[in-house]
Amino acid sequence: PDKRIILMANTDPQVEQLSRIQAELPANVVCPIPSAEVFALISDKAAFGDLAAGRGLKVPKSQAIDLAGSERIRSQLAFPIVAKPARSARFMAFYEQGFQKVYALDSQDELDALVEKLRAAGYADPFILQERIDGDDSCMGAITCYLDADGTMRLWSGAQALLEDHAPSMRGNSVAMLTRPLEELRKPIGELLASIGYTGFVEIDVKRDPATGEYFFFEVNPRIGRNSYIAVCGGVNPVRVMVDDLVDKKPARLLVADEPALYTLIPLSLLYRYITDPALLAEVKSLVKEKRVFNPQHYGPEKDPVREILVHATELNQIRKFARFYPKPTSSSF
Protein backbone atom coordinates (compact mmCIF):
# COMPACT_ATOMS: atom_id res chain seq x y z
CA PRO A 1 0.00 0.00 0.00
CA ASP A 2 2.95 2.39 0.35
CA LYS A 3 3.93 1.91 -3.29
CA ARG A 4 2.45 3.51 -6.39
CA ILE A 5 1.35 0.60 -8.59
CA ILE A 6 0.85 1.01 -12.35
CA LEU A 7 -1.53 -1.52 -13.89
CA MET A 8 -1.24 -1.91 -17.66
CA ALA A 9 -2.77 -4.02 -20.41
CA ASN A 10 -1.91 -4.32 -24.08
CA THR A 11 -4.91 -5.90 -25.79
CA ASP A 12 -8.23 -4.21 -26.51
CA PRO A 13 -10.38 -6.65 -24.45
CA GLN A 14 -8.11 -6.26 -21.42
CA VAL A 15 -8.05 -2.47 -21.67
CA GLU A 16 -11.84 -2.47 -22.00
CA GLN A 17 -12.14 -4.54 -18.83
CA LEU A 18 -9.73 -2.28 -16.92
CA SER A 19 -11.61 0.83 -18.04
CA ARG A 20 -14.76 -0.58 -16.43
CA ILE A 21 -13.18 -1.42 -13.07
CA GLN A 22 -10.49 1.23 -12.62
CA ALA A 23 -12.69 3.29 -10.28
CA GLU A 24 -12.86 0.27 -7.95
CA LEU A 25 -9.09 -0.20 -7.72
CA PRO A 26 -7.19 0.74 -4.54
CA ALA A 27 -6.09 4.37 -4.33
CA ASN A 28 -2.42 3.51 -4.91
CA VAL A 29 -3.15 1.64 -8.18
CA VAL A 30 -3.34 3.71 -11.37
CA CYS A 31 -4.04 2.73 -14.99
CA PRO A 32 -2.68 4.77 -17.93
CA ILE A 33 -5.94 4.36 -19.83
CA PRO A 34 -8.96 6.55 -20.56
CA SER A 35 -12.30 6.35 -18.77
CA ALA A 36 -14.88 3.76 -19.80
CA GLU A 37 -16.91 6.46 -21.58
CA VAL A 38 -13.94 7.73 -23.58
CA PHE A 39 -12.82 4.16 -24.32
CA ALA A 40 -16.25 3.35 -25.76
CA LEU A 41 -16.17 6.48 -27.93
CA ILE A 42 -12.78 6.01 -29.53
CA SER A 43 -12.93 2.20 -29.76
CA ASP A 44 -15.98 2.38 -32.02
CA LYS A 45 -14.61 3.03 -35.52
CA ALA A 46 -17.87 4.61 -36.67
CA ALA A 47 -18.07 6.97 -33.69
CA PHE A 48 -14.39 7.90 -34.00
CA GLY A 49 -14.83 8.60 -37.71
CA ASP A 50 -17.68 10.99 -36.97
CA LEU A 51 -15.65 12.64 -34.19
CA ALA A 52 -12.57 13.11 -36.37
CA ALA A 53 -14.59 14.40 -39.34
CA GLY A 54 -16.37 16.84 -37.05
CA ARG A 55 -13.01 18.40 -36.20
CA GLY A 56 -11.97 18.72 -39.83
CA LEU A 57 -9.75 15.63 -40.05
CA LYS A 58 -9.94 13.50 -43.17
CA VAL A 59 -11.46 10.06 -42.73
CA PRO A 60 -12.41 7.46 -45.37
CA LYS A 61 -16.02 7.45 -46.57
CA SER A 62 -17.73 4.90 -44.35
CA GLN A 63 -20.95 3.01 -43.88
CA ALA A 64 -21.90 1.27 -40.63
CA ILE A 65 -23.88 -1.91 -41.20
CA ASP A 66 -26.01 -3.79 -38.65
CA LEU A 67 -25.71 -7.56 -38.90
CA ALA A 68 -28.80 -8.25 -36.81
CA GLY A 69 -31.73 -9.64 -38.78
CA SER A 70 -31.67 -11.31 -42.16
CA GLU A 71 -32.18 -8.50 -44.68
CA ARG A 72 -29.67 -8.11 -47.49
CA ILE A 73 -27.17 -5.36 -46.79
CA ARG A 74 -26.15 -3.28 -49.79
CA SER A 75 -23.03 -1.20 -49.94
CA GLN A 76 -23.66 2.51 -50.38
CA LEU A 77 -20.00 2.92 -51.33
CA ALA A 78 -18.46 2.20 -54.69
CA PHE A 79 -16.37 -0.97 -54.86
CA PRO A 80 -13.63 -1.83 -54.10
CA ILE A 81 -14.10 -1.38 -50.35
CA VAL A 82 -12.72 -2.72 -47.09
CA ALA A 83 -14.80 -4.17 -44.26
CA LYS A 84 -13.84 -4.53 -40.60
CA PRO A 85 -15.50 -4.82 -37.19
CA ALA A 86 -16.56 -1.54 -35.62
CA ARG A 87 -15.27 -2.69 -32.22
CA SER A 88 -12.07 -4.72 -32.41
CA ALA A 89 -12.27 -5.91 -28.79
CA ARG A 90 -15.50 -7.79 -29.51
CA PHE A 91 -14.12 -9.49 -32.61
CA MET A 92 -10.87 -11.05 -31.39
CA ALA A 93 -12.58 -14.27 -30.26
CA PHE A 94 -13.74 -14.88 -33.84
CA TYR A 95 -10.19 -15.13 -35.21
CA GLU A 96 -10.11 -18.73 -34.00
CA GLN A 97 -13.01 -19.45 -36.36
CA GLY A 98 -10.98 -18.26 -39.33
CA PHE A 99 -12.28 -14.69 -39.55
CA GLN A 100 -9.95 -11.92 -40.71
CA LYS A 101 -9.07 -8.60 -39.16
CA VAL A 102 -9.80 -6.72 -42.40
CA TYR A 103 -11.60 -7.77 -45.57
CA ALA A 104 -10.97 -6.46 -49.07
CA LEU A 105 -14.19 -6.69 -51.06
CA ASP A 106 -14.51 -6.12 -54.79
CA SER A 107 -18.22 -6.72 -55.33
CA GLN A 108 -21.66 -6.87 -53.74
CA ASP A 109 -21.56 -10.67 -54.03
CA GLU A 110 -18.42 -10.75 -51.85
CA LEU A 111 -20.13 -8.53 -49.28
CA ASP A 112 -23.18 -10.81 -49.29
CA ALA A 113 -20.97 -13.86 -48.65
CA LEU A 114 -19.18 -12.12 -45.75
CA VAL A 115 -22.45 -11.02 -44.12
CA GLU A 116 -23.84 -14.54 -44.40
CA LYS A 117 -20.71 -16.01 -42.83
CA LEU A 118 -20.72 -13.52 -39.94
CA ARG A 119 -24.40 -14.10 -39.22
CA ALA A 120 -23.92 -17.87 -39.29
CA ALA A 121 -21.14 -17.52 -36.69
CA GLY A 122 -23.42 -15.51 -34.41
CA TYR A 123 -21.60 -12.20 -34.74
CA ALA A 124 -24.15 -9.40 -34.33
CA ASP A 125 -22.07 -6.29 -33.55
CA PRO A 126 -21.80 -3.55 -36.19
CA PHE A 127 -19.35 -3.77 -39.08
CA ILE A 128 -17.81 -0.87 -40.96
CA LEU A 129 -17.53 -0.57 -44.73
CA GLN A 130 -14.95 1.95 -45.96
CA GLU A 131 -13.67 3.24 -49.26
CA ARG A 132 -10.33 1.72 -50.11
CA ILE A 133 -7.56 4.30 -50.03
CA ASP A 134 -4.87 3.67 -52.64
CA GLY A 135 -1.28 3.11 -51.65
CA ASP A 136 0.92 0.22 -50.53
CA ASP A 137 2.09 -0.57 -47.00
CA SER A 138 4.61 2.29 -47.04
CA CYS A 139 1.71 4.78 -47.14
CA MET A 140 0.60 3.67 -43.67
CA GLY A 141 1.63 5.67 -40.62
CA ALA A 142 1.49 5.04 -36.88
CA ILE A 143 1.47 7.53 -34.03
CA THR A 144 2.03 6.84 -30.33
CA CYS A 145 1.12 9.49 -27.74
CA TYR A 146 0.85 9.85 -24.01
CA LEU A 147 -1.46 12.43 -22.41
CA ASP A 148 -1.58 13.19 -18.70
CA ALA A 149 -4.70 13.82 -16.61
CA ASP A 150 -4.71 17.49 -17.67
CA GLY A 151 -4.83 16.52 -21.35
CA THR A 152 -1.23 17.69 -21.86
CA MET A 153 0.69 15.67 -24.43
CA ARG A 154 3.96 14.33 -22.98
CA LEU A 155 5.01 11.92 -25.74
CA TRP A 156 4.84 12.15 -29.52
CA SER A 157 6.20 9.36 -31.70
CA GLY A 158 5.51 9.08 -35.41
CA ALA A 159 6.41 6.31 -37.82
CA GLN A 160 6.09 5.33 -41.47
CA ALA A 161 5.32 1.69 -42.13
CA LEU A 162 7.53 -0.13 -44.57
CA LEU A 163 5.76 -3.48 -44.50
CA GLU A 164 2.76 -4.88 -42.64
CA ASP A 165 1.85 -8.40 -41.58
CA HIS A 166 -0.55 -9.90 -44.12
CA ALA A 167 -1.68 -12.97 -42.18
CA PRO A 168 -5.52 -12.79 -41.85
CA SER A 169 -5.61 -12.27 -38.07
CA MET A 170 -2.62 -9.90 -38.02
CA ARG A 171 -3.50 -7.64 -40.94
CA GLY A 172 -2.38 -4.08 -40.40
CA ASN A 173 0.30 -4.82 -37.77
CA SER A 174 3.55 -3.34 -39.04
CA VAL A 175 6.61 -5.59 -39.12
CA ALA A 176 9.00 -2.85 -40.25
CA MET A 177 8.88 0.94 -39.77
CA LEU A 178 10.93 4.12 -39.96
CA THR A 179 10.72 6.90 -37.39
CA ARG A 180 9.02 9.97 -38.86
CA PRO A 181 8.16 13.24 -37.06
CA LEU A 182 4.73 13.66 -38.73
CA GLU A 183 4.73 17.10 -37.13
CA GLU A 184 1.80 18.36 -39.17
CA LEU A 185 -0.48 15.89 -37.38
CA ARG A 186 0.56 16.70 -33.81
CA LYS A 187 -1.63 19.74 -33.23
CA PRO A 188 -4.91 18.36 -34.66
CA ILE A 189 -4.44 15.02 -32.91
CA GLY A 190 -3.58 16.69 -29.60
CA GLU A 191 -6.64 18.93 -29.83
CA LEU A 192 -8.89 16.01 -30.75
CA LEU A 193 -7.74 13.86 -27.82
CA ALA A 194 -7.85 16.74 -25.33
CA SER A 195 -11.38 17.65 -26.43
CA ILE A 196 -12.74 14.27 -25.27
CA GLY A 197 -10.72 14.13 -22.04
CA TYR A 198 -8.36 11.40 -23.22
CA THR A 199 -5.64 10.27 -20.80
CA GLY A 200 -2.87 7.68 -21.02
CA PHE A 201 -1.32 5.94 -23.99
CA VAL A 202 -2.86 5.89 -27.45
CA GLU A 203 -1.92 4.55 -30.87
CA ILE A 204 -3.41 6.09 -34.00
CA ASP A 205 -3.34 4.58 -37.50
CA VAL A 206 -3.24 6.89 -40.51
CA LYS A 207 -2.70 6.45 -44.24
CA ARG A 208 -1.23 8.95 -46.68
CA ASP A 209 -3.03 9.29 -49.98
CA PRO A 210 -0.19 8.96 -52.53
CA ALA A 211 -2.10 11.15 -54.99
CA THR A 212 -2.58 14.16 -52.69
CA GLY A 213 -0.20 13.62 -49.76
CA GLU A 214 -3.09 14.08 -47.32
CA TYR A 215 -3.45 11.81 -44.33
CA PHE A 216 -6.62 9.83 -43.64
CA PHE A 217 -7.32 8.88 -40.03
CA PHE A 218 -8.32 5.25 -39.65
CA GLU A 219 -8.66 4.28 -36.00
CA VAL A 220 -7.47 4.72 -32.42
CA ASN A 221 -6.10 2.03 -30.12
CA PRO A 222 -6.29 2.99 -26.40
CA ARG A 223 -2.97 1.40 -25.42
CA ILE A 224 0.62 0.87 -26.40
CA GLY A 225 1.59 -2.35 -28.10
CA ARG A 226 4.54 -4.20 -29.57
CA ASN A 227 5.21 -1.60 -32.24
CA SER A 228 5.25 1.26 -29.74
CA TYR A 229 8.89 0.26 -29.34
CA ILE A 230 9.46 2.52 -32.33
CA ALA A 231 9.44 5.39 -29.79
CA VAL A 232 12.45 3.85 -28.04
CA CYS A 233 14.19 3.59 -31.41
CA GLY A 234 13.47 7.31 -31.84
CA GLY A 235 15.05 8.19 -28.51
CA VAL A 236 12.16 8.24 -26.00
CA ASN A 237 11.11 5.41 -23.69
CA PRO A 238 7.29 5.56 -23.32
CA VAL A 239 7.40 3.84 -19.94
CA ARG A 240 9.78 6.49 -18.60
CA VAL A 241 7.34 9.17 -19.73
CA MET A 242 4.51 7.40 -17.89
CA VAL A 243 6.52 6.93 -14.69
CA ASP A 244 7.59 10.58 -14.72
CA ASP A 245 3.90 11.48 -14.75
CA LEU A 246 2.18 8.89 -12.55
CA VAL A 247 4.89 8.02 -10.04
CA ASP A 248 7.46 10.82 -9.85
CA LYS A 249 4.92 13.59 -10.58
CA LYS A 250 7.39 15.55 -12.70
CA PRO A 251 6.23 18.71 -14.49
CA ALA A 252 4.81 18.15 -17.94
CA ARG A 253 7.11 18.44 -20.94
CA LEU A 254 6.73 17.10 -24.44
CA LEU A 255 9.28 14.51 -25.59
CA VAL A 256 9.43 13.80 -29.32
CA ALA A 257 10.89 10.50 -30.57
CA ASP A 258 12.45 11.80 -33.77
CA GLU A 259 15.91 10.21 -34.01
CA PRO A 260 16.29 8.45 -37.39
CA ALA A 261 15.91 4.70 -36.95
CA LEU A 262 14.74 1.50 -38.62
CA TYR A 263 12.54 -0.86 -36.60
CA THR A 264 12.12 -4.37 -37.96
CA LEU A 265 10.80 -7.73 -36.84
CA ILE A 266 11.76 -9.51 -40.06
CA PRO A 267 15.03 -10.38 -41.83
CA LEU A 268 16.43 -7.45 -43.81
CA SER A 269 16.60 -9.57 -46.98
CA LEU A 270 12.82 -10.06 -46.80
CA LEU A 271 12.22 -6.37 -46.14
CA TYR A 272 14.36 -5.28 -49.10
CA ARG A 273 12.24 -7.46 -51.40
CA TYR A 274 9.07 -5.46 -50.62
CA ILE A 275 10.35 -1.87 -50.78
CA THR A 276 9.60 -0.69 -54.32
CA ASP A 277 10.61 2.97 -53.93
CA PRO A 278 14.37 3.29 -54.73
CA ALA A 279 14.78 6.37 -52.53
CA LEU A 280 13.09 4.66 -49.59
CA LEU A 281 15.22 1.55 -50.05
CA ALA A 282 18.36 3.68 -50.12
CA GLU A 283 17.31 5.36 -46.87
CA VAL A 284 16.73 2.00 -45.21
CA LYS A 285 20.10 0.66 -46.33
CA SER A 286 21.78 3.84 -45.09
CA LEU A 287 20.31 3.31 -41.61
CA VAL A 288 21.50 -0.29 -41.69
CA LYS A 289 25.00 0.91 -42.58
CA GLU A 290 24.86 3.42 -39.71
CA LYS A 291 23.77 0.62 -37.33
CA ARG A 292 20.49 2.41 -36.61
CA VAL A 293 18.51 -0.86 -36.78
CA PHE A 294 16.38 -2.02 -33.84
CA ASN A 295 14.65 -5.36 -33.32
CA PRO A 296 13.01 -5.76 -29.88
CA GLN A 297 12.99 -9.55 -30.29
CA HIS A 298 16.77 -9.49 -29.78
CA TYR A 299 17.87 -8.40 -26.31
CA GLY A 300 21.56 -8.55 -25.43
CA PRO A 301 21.30 -9.45 -21.72
CA GLU A 302 18.92 -12.34 -22.52
CA LYS A 303 21.23 -15.34 -22.86
CA ASP A 304 18.71 -18.20 -22.96
CA PRO A 305 19.75 -20.25 -26.05
CA VAL A 306 16.26 -21.78 -26.37
CA ARG A 307 14.75 -18.32 -26.61
CA GLU A 308 17.25 -17.32 -29.28
CA ILE A 309 16.35 -20.41 -31.30
CA LEU A 310 12.65 -19.56 -31.04
CA VAL A 311 13.25 -15.96 -32.10
CA HIS A 312 15.27 -17.12 -35.09
CA ALA A 313 12.52 -19.59 -36.02
CA THR A 314 9.90 -16.84 -35.72
CA GLU A 315 11.85 -14.62 -38.12
CA LEU A 316 12.31 -17.43 -40.64
CA ASN A 317 8.59 -18.16 -40.37
CA GLN A 318 7.92 -14.62 -41.63
CA ILE A 319 9.41 -15.67 -44.97
CA ARG A 320 6.91 -18.53 -45.19
CA LYS A 321 4.01 -16.29 -44.13
CA PHE A 322 4.72 -13.64 -46.75
CA ALA A 323 5.13 -16.27 -49.45
CA ARG A 324 1.67 -17.54 -48.56
CA PHE A 325 -0.31 -14.38 -47.84
CA TYR A 326 1.50 -11.61 -49.75
CA PRO A 327 3.95 -13.11 -52.25
CA LYS A 328 4.70 -9.80 -53.96
CA PRO A 329 4.01 -6.11 -53.23
CA THR A 330 0.91 -4.49 -54.73
CA SER A 331 -0.08 -0.86 -55.16
CA SER A 332 -3.08 -1.30 -52.84
CA SER A 333 -1.38 -3.59 -50.25
CA PHE A 334 -4.18 -6.14 -50.86
Side-chain angles (χ1 to χ4, degrees):
D2 60 332
K3 299 292 185 181
R4 188 85 160 163
I5 306 299
I6 297 176
L7 180 59
M8 297 182 67
N10 298 93
T11 67
D12 289 341
Q14 291 173 340
V15 174
E16 183 179 34
Q17 185 177 15
L18 284 181
S19 71
R20 292 197 304 264
I21 68 167
Q22 61 178 323
E24 304 167 25
L25 297 171
N28 65 315
V29 178
V30 292
C31 298
I33 60 175
S35 67
E37 293 76 18
V38 173
F39 176 90
L41 175 62
I42 58 95
S43 295
D44 186 312
K45 294 180 179 64
F48 170 72
D50 292 341
L51 177 69
R55 297 193 67 86
L57 303 178
K58 288 188 71 68
V59 297
K61 296 175 183 176
S62 302
Q63 175 188 351
I65 61 174
D66 188 350
L67 296 172
S70 59
E71 292 184 4
R72 189 185 191 195
I73 297 173
R74 293 188 176 275
S75 172
Q76 298 169 6
L77 307 174
F79 289 94
I81 61 173
V82 296
K84 51 191 174 182
R87 303 182 185 99
S88 299
R90 310 281 177 86
F91 197 64
M92 292 183 72
F94 287 81
Y95 293 157
E96 296 178 1
Q97 300 182 39
F99 285 95
Q100 302 178 22
K101 220 176 147 183
V102 179
Y103 287 87
L105 306 177
D106 293 316
S107 67
Q108 180 65 46
D109 288 343
E110 291 183 7
L111 174 59
D112 292 342
L114 174 60
V115 169
E116 181 180 355
K117 185 178 178 182
L118 288 165
R119 284 171 170 168
Y123 189 79
D125 273 1
F127 238 65
I128 296 294
L129 309 181
Q130 284 185 339
E131 65 173 322
R132 191 187 303 178
I133 306 300
D134 287 335
D136 63 11
D137 287 354
S138 68
C139 292
M140 294 300 300
I143 296 159
T144 298
C145 306
Y146 179 87
L147 282 77
D148 62 23
D150 296 327
T152 301
M153 186 182 293
R154 292 184 177 229
L155 166 68
W156 175 266
S157 173
Q160 175 187 359
L162 295 172
L163 186 61
E164 295 187 332
D165 199 319
H166 284 256
S169 64
M170 298 291 289
R171 192 72 173 80
N173 291 342
S174 295
V175 294
M177 298 188 290
L178 293 176
T179 51
R180 294 290 193 221
L182 300 181
E183 293 179 357
E184 67 271 31
L185 302 181
R186 190 188 309 164
K187 186 174 185 290
I189 286 177
E191 291 176 348
L192 172 66
L193 295 173
S195 72
I196 60 174
Y198 195 97
T199 61
F201 286 114
V202 62
E203 285 184 336
I204 301 174
D205 295 332
V206 298
K207 186 170 187 178
R208 179 180 56 82
D209 184 338
T212 66
E214 295 180 294
Y215 280 94
F216 284 81
F217 288 74
F218 276 19
E219 60 187 77
V220 174
N221 300 302
R223 52 176 169 75
I224 54 173
R226 175 186 70 183
N227 289 341
S228 298
Y229 192 79
I230 188 73
V232 179
C233 308
V236 181
N237 188 332
V239 175
R240 180 73 262 170
V241 174
M242 175 184 65
V243 171
D244 284 349
D245 175 34
L246 298 180
V247 178
D248 297 334
K249 301 295 184 181
K250 292 185 177 180
R253 61 178 180 136
L254 176 63
L255 297 178
V256 179
D258 57 1
E259 295 178 11
L262 167 64
Y263 164 100
T264 182
L265 300 167
I266 62 174
L268 290 174
S269 59
L270 178 61
L271 175 60
Y272 293 161
R273 191 186 309 167
Y274 283 87
I275 300 177
T276 58
D277 182 343
L280 193 58
L281 181 59
E283 181 181 2
V284 168
K285 289 185 174 181
S286 176
L287 289 169
V288 173
K289 185 177 181 180
E290 296 169 10
K291 300 187 184 303
R292 293 291 300 166
V293 182
F294 298 82
N295 184 334
Q297 297 170 129
H298 295 279
Y299 180 53
E302 176 58 76
K303 304 299 183 183
D304 182 357
V306 175
R307 182 187 183 281
E308 285 300 308
I309 291 172
L310 290 173
V311 168
H312 183 62
T314 297
E315 292 174 338
L316 291 178
N317 186 50
Q318 292 282 7
I319 298 174
R320 182 190 64 84
K321 284 173 59 180
F322 274 93
R324 178 182 178 187
F325 297 114
Y326 192 53
K328 61 180 181 179
T330 67
S331 60
S332 67
S333 84
F334 288 102

